[in-house]
Amino acid sequence: MAKTKKAKSEFVLVAAHQLKTPLSALKWIFKILLEGEVGELTSEQQNLLMKGYEANENMITLVNDLLKVAQLEKGKKVYEFKKCDFKEVIKKSVSLFSEIAAKKKIEIEAILPKEETMILCDSSLLQMAISNFIANAINYSFEGGKVTVGVAKEEDRLKFCVEDRGIGIPLPQQKKIFSKFFRGDNVVRLQIAGSGLGLYITRRIIEDHGGKVWFESQENKGSRFYFNIPLTK
Ligand code: ADP
């Protein structure tokens, strides 16, 4: 890695680390106030504090994403590759989202193959990548929608797909989708929170596993995000 790029990643890593402590202090202060531990609140006070709590939560997500980017940009040393079952990684990722999906009345379904699905991966980082795709599919779906996760064997690779019927990505912006901090005009207009770092991180993780990511999307119709990953014997 070029020296300046390395120094930049190091700076982001240190800055993000420094931000973590005051942000978690703020989180607890908001929580104590919201739970009425230091006195009862009027509904107006409760609403304002809730907005503060949510803004702080968004900042925590952003800082955590920045930390992940900086760590990944440091090089492949972050990965611990082991043989594991892809189906298990998918099942785990899907189960993490059952509650969030239910809250939005979204049905989430996983279609998995019968064949063996052994791969060489860092299961926690791969799970992070898969979770980013699923989180987006839910986050950018309309209430009452459906999200389908599918895995299929294709020659010496496994192909993953997550499909939603949500807001989609505006066509003129589709080429920027995997860039750092990209957010679609439609999601900004709808004020849906996000950092614009998830897909950048996700692509990086998949490519570091020898895979490839791609997608197709139509505004207000939905999106399908795909990746493939090599099978191992
Ligand atoms: P975030 O979701 O935090 O904004 P991502 O990097 O995961 O960041 O996604 C970048 C942008 O790509 C999103 O802000 C959104 O505009 C668009 N996007 C990603 N996934 C979807 C999806 N399933 N449906 C519609 N838009 C999406």
Side-chain angles (χ1 to χ4, degrees):
M1 199 192 308
K3 243 184 180 168
T4 44
K5 198 167 175 201
K6 205 168 170 188
K8 233 162 107 185
S9 291
E10 205 56 45
F11 172 76
V12 174
L13 203 63
V14 173
H17 256 298
Q18 295 296 320
L19 286 169
K20 274 191 103 159
T21 316
L23 287 174
S24 57
L26 273 174
K27 182 186 173 100
W28 291 113
I29 291 167
F30 278 124
K31 272 208 148 176
I32 289 167
L33 289 170
L34 278 164
E35 281 162 12
E37 280 185 38
V38 284
E40 238 178 83
L41 301 170
T42 64
S43 65
E44 198 179 347
Q45 286 167 338
Q46 181 104 19
N47 280 343
L48 275 171
L49 280 172
M50 199 59 213
K51 284 204 175 112
Y53 178 81
E54 280 164 7
N56 191 58
E57 284 293 288
N58 291 340
M59 278 289 276
I60 291 172
T61 308
L62 173 63
V63 164
N64 283 334
D65 282 352
L66 283 170
L67 274 172
K68 281 175 224 152
V69 169
Q71 276 162 351
L72 289 172
E73 284 184 342
K74 277 177 90 175
K76 287 195 187 184
K77 271 173 277 164
V78 291
Y79 292 96
E80 275 181 47
F81 287 101
K82 283 195 188 118
K83 211 170 159 178
C84 70
D85 189 349
F86 191 60
K87 267 186 275 200
E88 293 308 314
V89 185
I90 301 280
K91 280 187 205 160
K92 232 177 175 174
S93 314
V94 170
S95 71
L96 286 177
F97 288 95
S98 57
E99 219 172 287
I100 298 170
K103 265 195 196 145
K104 232 178 135 179
K105 298 189 179 65
I106 289 170
E107 188 192 334
I108 175 161
E109 185 190 20
I111 302 168
L112 303 173
K114 289 208 178 71
E115 293 116 308
E116 272 220 355
T117 51
M118 297 308 285
I119 55 168
L120 201 59
C121 73
D122 182 313
S123 61
S124 59
L125 282 165
L126 188 63
Q127 193 177 319
M128 184 193 291
I130 293 165
S131 299
N132 278 341
F133 281 133
I134 300 175
N136 282 346
I138 295 172
N139 210 15
Y140 302 118
S141 272
F142 302 111
E143 216 179 278
K146 182 167 179 184
V147 168
T148 311
V149 175
V151 176
K153 193 172 169 253
E154 279 189 356
E155 292 171 25
D156 57 349
R157 287 182 169 249
L158 289 171
K159 186 168 101 176
F160 165 95
C161 175
V162 57
E163 180 188 75
D164 67 67
R165 300 168 190 171
I167 63 174
I169 301 139
L171 189 61
Q173 296 188 309
Q174 291 192 0
K175 48 186 177 303
K176 292 192 245 160
I177 185 110
F178 292 104
S179 324
K180 251 190 246 183
F181 299 112
F182 167 78
R183 305 218 64 222
D185 284 347
N186 52 349
V187 311
V188 175
R189 213 179 315 118
L190 293 166
Q191 297 187 328
I192 306 173
S195 69
L197 287 170
L199 286 179
Y200 172 80
I201 295 169
T202 298
R203 178 165 77 170
R204 192 141 193 145
I205 293 173
I206 300 298
E207 288 181 353
D208 288 345
H209 278 79
K212 191 178 155 239
V213 294
W214 70 102
F215 73 98
E216 48 202 41
S217 180
Q218 226 182 324
E219 214 175 342
N220 293 317
K221 287 259 168 70
S223 311
R224 276 194 204 131
F225 279 84
Y226 301 90
F227 73 82
N228 64 23
I229 191 163
L231 274 161
T232 184
K233 292 266 156 55

